[in-house]
Amino acid sequence: MPMAASDTALVSVCLIGYGEAGKILAQGLSATGRYAVSAYDILFSDAANRPMREAAAAGVTLHDDLTVAIADADVIISAVTASSAHDVVASVAASIRAGQFFLDINSVSPALKQESYALLTSRRARYVEAAVMASIPPYGIAVPMLLGGPHAAGFMALMAQSGMQMKIASENIGVASAIKMCRSVMIKGLEALTVESMFTARHYGVEEEVLASLTETFPGIDWPRQADYLVSRVVQHGRRRAAEMREVAHTVSDAGLAPLLSSAIAERQDWLADQVQAGIVDKHKKSWREVADRIAAVSATTTTATATEIKVSKKTA
């Protein structure tokens, strides 16, 4: 039986996934001094992996074996990509103990959360659905979360001194995720629209006029600054966002609608992620103009080279 957070012994928490979200949550919990924090990530098998050194400095114990990592945990938090969420649940189910809490913060469809709940409940674990309702970096451990399921209240009591900002959305699994998925259509959609609008405006040299018009229409938004932020989030996390939007597409489809926009958003997010993966765009770029110019320059070079090859080919023929 998991201990109460007020007990003398530390509550043991294991993060599965030590990317941006997992690292922030793990380090935030460790900093309270009230939780014994560990983490597992598939990348930890590489002894030269940089996060291992960072984790040691932050008081987070790292494991390269999932079964060992969760063995003594009172709480298991899954913070992986949407595409890996189901695999994590299946792997954890093989060794999770009765009474352990499993907090699923992954951005997946309500149907997938319900499947995960059924699987882990059959192992007598305490599955808690969570929907992260804002970007984690600005908030840290205090990022707003909506919880769902019959064990949500018990989880909140156990983690009362963690600094986590949690609110119960429903005792039914899937409600919190439905809220998150519908929100993502707008948030990730705005990112994709900004990429497409600003990059096109840059090509025609009209970005200042477009930004001025947006500011006039939506005066409460600092559009020059917001454009940099929205594009930088796609540059940094486009692949993860694309995977989330495919889960959104499933959510929309389950509601009886064709996910025309959700699927297109995923494609645009993936497109920019491809530019980063190919080394065309620096993942740490903050200026959307620099990103757009870099892609345009490479595209122009490629187009010129292709045209030259065609001319040479015709002459040879």
Side-chain angles (χ1 to χ4, degrees), residues 61-83:
T61 302
L62 300 186
H63 298 280
D64 58 9
D65 183 284
L66 178 60
T67 301
V68 173
I70 69 173
D72 297 321
D74 300 303
V75 174
I76 302 164
I77 301 177
S78 179
V80 297
T81 61
S83 57

Side-chain angles (χ1 to χ4, degrees), residues 222-243:
D222 182 347
W223 278 101
R225 181 178 180 181
Q226 192 70 10
D228 279 335
Y229 174 74
L230 292 172
V231 174
S232 71
R233 296 304 291 170
V234 185
V235 169
Q236 290 181 323
H237 304 292
R239 196 71 73 199
R240 176 169 62 79
R241 280 161 148 67

Side-chain angles (χ1 to χ4, degrees), residues 17 70 105 112 118 152 160 181 183 219 222 239 296:
I70 69 173
I105 73 167
L112 189 52
M181 294 288 97
R183 175 183 184 275
D222 182 347
R239 196 71 73 199

Side-chain angles (χ1 to χ4, degrees), residues 214-225:
L214 289 171
T215 298
E216 183 177 355
T217 305
F218 303 101
I221 300 175
D222 182 347
W223 278 101
R225 181 178 180 181

Side-chain angles (χ1 to χ4, degrees), residues 13-32 35 37-39 41 44 51 54-55 58-60 62 77 79-80 105 132 134-145 159 162-165 229 233 236-237 240:
V13 180
C14 177
L15 273 293
I16 300 178
Y18 202 64
E20 181 183 57
K23 183 187 300 183
I24 290 173
L25 295 177
Q27 294 179 354
L29 289 169
S30 179
T32 67
Y35 300 87
V37 185
S38 62
D41 194 293
F44 288 167
E54 295 178 347
V60 180
L62 300 186
I77 301 177
V80 297
I105 73 167
V132 180
S135 179
I136 292 180
Y139 290 90
I141 191 67
V143 65
M145 290 187 188
M159 303 298 288
S162 66
M164 298 172 71
Q165 297 301 308
Y229 174 74
R233 296 304 291 170
Q236 290 181 323
H237 304 292
R240 176 169 62 79

Side-chain angles (χ1 to χ4, degrees), residues 277-315:
Q277 185 173 329
I280 296 171
V281 174
D282 183 342
K283 189 173 184 178
H284 302 291
K285 284 291 184 184
K286 301 296 185 181
S287 167
W288 74 261
R289 289 178 174 82
E290 292 180 12
V291 174
D293 288 348
R294 176 61 180 162
I295 293 173
V298 172
S299 178
T301 300
T302 302
T303 301
T304 300
T306 301
T308 301
E309 289 175 3
I310 292 174
K311 289 180 180 179
V312 171
S313 177
K314 287 183 177 179
K315 289 181 180 179

